Amino acid sequence: MLHLDTLFKTDEGWKFSTEADLEDFVWRNIGKILGLTPLKRQYSIQNDCCDIIAIAESGQLVIIELKNVEDRYVVQQLTRYYHSLFAEKPFGDLVKYNQPIRLIAITPNFHRHNHIDQAYNKLLIEFFQFEIKQIEKGLIFNLKNQDEEEISSVIIPYSQENIVDEIISTPKLRVLPRISRAFEKSLDERHPEEKEIFLRIRKKILEFDERMAEVSTKVVARYGHANKNGDIPLTRLCAEFYSRSINKDAFYDLILSLWLPIPSRRDINKSVYQGKTQKILIRKFNEQDLNISLSILINPNPKSERYYDSYSLSQYLKIYKLMTGKEFVDQSLDVLIEIALDDWQTRCNDKK
């Protein structure tokens, strides 16, 4: 199911919100749309970046350039990509370069200059025009060639409750921000079994408070109360995911840290503990919440795993009761997230 922000409706019909959204859809459905096998996306070569590189069943290389709006220079782009790929001939074990490289432009509309450039270009460049059609409570991605013949038609997986007759403006419900493209790619390529857990935790965190923000890069996603410049100060962080490389064979681990209250010191002779908030590494959180352990990190840097103390989940919840008087019967990762969220909210309210 596509995220709500992927599409929007105007007087002219449904549109993709960004070119990246269009690319995501075409990449995932390229077999249905063009009968091709995806090879690479955002492929960099000789200072150029091709949107999608695909391959036909015959071994023919296909270069696809996508535009979410009318663009005058799509022919020139495809010409440069052709030059670079033909010169270097990558993917030699898959591509048969004795066949001509196929060049495809996909846009909602073509500028008249595109047709002039196409007519006088020595390369054969195919133009395909797409549109999103609404049929009752469903959306269809249609692709036509230059002769207005329909090439393919693919159902767009989009929530029916958000498909209405009138123009959609700001929805009444709170819509979660989209995951950054870089971090989502990291999840897709490196953590197929953990992505669902990440999305569940992310949803729980972001829906907790309207002040909760998400700042992410390719390797780290942080959650907390952001400043006006978009950065999240260390004192207002709540949670963090970090993508860590295990070895050179591209095996990665997804690490979760939470900012949790811990005692200022351990003193078994006292019945009440004074607490402070510290970054805690949560271990084994993806194994059905079994044997979760908490390690108190020395350094808040995402790459750091040095710690000076650790607890089992049951030990921590007992100490948390001594600090706050609150008791949890359930012992799970969700409980730890609730504690982190409550502590974060208290810290943010205290700084008002």
Side-chain angles (χ1 to χ4, degrees):
M1 190 69 63
L2 295 187
H3 190 277
L4 176 60
D5 286 351
T6 302
L7 302 171
F8 69 98
K9 192 176 183 183
T10 70
D11 290 324
E12 298 175 348
W14 287 89
K15 311 286 184 183
F16 285 100
S17 297
T18 67
E19 192 170 295
D21 294 320
L22 168 62
E23 182 185 311
D24 286 341
F25 180 80
V26 173
W27 173 259
R28 293 171 181 171
N29 296 277
I30 198 168
K32 297 177 182 177
I33 295 172
L34 290 168
L36 302 172
T37 300
L39 195 57
K40 288 288 182 180
R41 61 189 294 191
Q42 291 299 306
Y43 180 69
S44 296
I45 185 168
Q46 294 189 6
N47 297 320
D48 280 317
C49 189
C50 310
D51 283 345
I52 293 178
I53 303 294
I55 189 170
E57 187 175 351
S58 65
Q60 181 185 32
L61 185 68
V62 184
I63 306 172
I64 302 171
E65 179 63 20
L66 302 163
K67 298 296 179 186
N68 198 37
V69 295
E70 187 179 276
D71 183 279
R72 295 189 184 192
Y73 306 107
V74 65
V75 172
Q76 288 90 328
Q77 284 182 269
L78 284 167
T79 303
R80 293 197 305 272
Y81 302 158
Y82 173 91
H83 171 80
S84 300
L85 286 161
F86 187 75
E88 294 197 8
K89 294 182 173 59
F91 321 114
D93 56 332
L94 299 173
V95 175
K96 295 181 179 178
Y97 281 98
N98 60 337
Q99 300 183 36
I101 298 175
R102 189 179 176 190
L103 303 174
I104 295 176
I106 299 177
T107 84
N109 296 290
F110 286 94
H111 192 276
R112 69 181 188 88
H113 289 179
N114 298 146
H115 294 285
I116 295 172
D117 294 336
Q118 181 195 42
Y120 291 95
N121 196 296
K122 293 181 180 180
L123 300 172
L124 176 62
I125 298 177
E126 301 173 65
F127 285 177
F128 291 102
Q129 188 171 332
F130 78 86
E131 64 176 337
I132 300 173
K133 283 189 175 181
Q134 178 175 337
I135 302 176
E136 296 181 351
K137 283 288 187 177
L139 297 179
I140 306 294
F141 180 92
N142 277 352
L143 195 69
K144 294 182 179 180
N145 62 16
Q146 276 184 260
D147 297 325
E148 296 294 318
E149 298 171 335
E150 186 175 292
I151 300 301
S152 59
S153 183
V154 178
I155 296 173
I156 299 175
Y158 196 66
S159 175
Q160 287 193 349
E161 65 185 31
N162 297 311
I163 302 175
V164 293
D165 293 331
E166 67 273 13
I167 297 172
I168 290 181
S169 55
T170 305
K172 295 180 180 179
L173 69 164
R174 188 184 177 206
V175 180
L176 297 184
R178 299 195 67 202
I179 307 170
S180 76
R181 185 174 181 179
F183 197 74
E184 184 174 30
K185 182 179 180 182
S186 173
L187 288 167
D188 286 337
E189 293 183 352
R190 304 170 182 177
H191 313 289
E193 297 179 359
E194 297 168 312
K195 183 174 181 179
E196 185 176 345
I197 298 174
F198 163 78
L199 292 175
R200 176 175 66 84
I201 296 173
R202 176 181 183 265
K203 183 174 186 292
K204 186 180 184 73
I205 292 172
L206 288 174
E207 288 184 342
F208 178 73
D209 190 299
E210 62 182 9
R211 295 171 295 179
M212 186 71 75
E214 178 181 55
V215 176
S216 58
T217 65
K218 185 176 182 179
V219 296
V220 64
R222 294 188 176 95
Y223 301 87
H225 191 0
N227 287 331
K228 291 182 179 179
N229 64 3
D231 294 330
I232 303 176
L234 184 62
T235 56
R236 293 193 176 186
L237 278 165
C238 175
E240 177 182 87
F241 282 94
Y242 177 65
S243 175
R244 179 191 63 173
S245 175
I246 301 297
N247 57 38
K248 294 182 179 180
D249 296 326
F251 179 76
Y252 289 79
D253 192 15
L254 188 63
I255 298 170
L256 169 65
S257 294
L258 297 172
W259 272 254
L260 294 167
I262 62 169
S264 298
R265 64 174 186 171
R266 280 193 175 184
D267 189 343
I268 60 174
N269 295 320
K270 291 190 175 183
S271 59
V272 179
Y273 289 77
Q274 296 298 316
K276 64 178 180 179
T277 300
Q278 195 85 5
K279 182 179 179 181
I280 310 294
L281 178 66
I282 310 301
R283 299 182 183 273
K284 298 184 180 180
F285 73 91
N286 60 335
E287 296 182 5
Q288 300 179 342
D289 294 348
L290 299 175
N291 302 316
I292 291 176
S293 62
L294 299 80
S295 299
I296 307 172
L297 295 173
I298 297 173
N299 189 327
N301 186 302
K303 297 180 181 180
S304 173
E305 286 197 60
R306 295 180 59 202
Y307 62 94
Y308 65 87
D309 206 350
S310 62
Y311 303 99
S312 67
L313 178 57
S314 60
Q315 286 175 328
Y316 175 77
L317 293 179
K318 288 178 183 177
I319 293 174
Y320 181 76
K321 180 182 178 182
L322 293 174
M323 289 189 293
T324 64
K326 298 179 182 178
E327 184 175 10
F328 291 93
V329 177
D330 180 30
Q331 295 191 7
S332 67
L333 176 61
D334 285 334
V335 168
L336 290 178
I337 295 170
E338 289 174 18
I339 292 173
L341 290 169
D342 288 338
D343 182 77
W344 171 83
Q345 191 174 62
T346 299
R347 285 185 281 127
C348 289
N349 291 340
D350 290 343
K351 291 182 180 293
K352 281 185 176 181

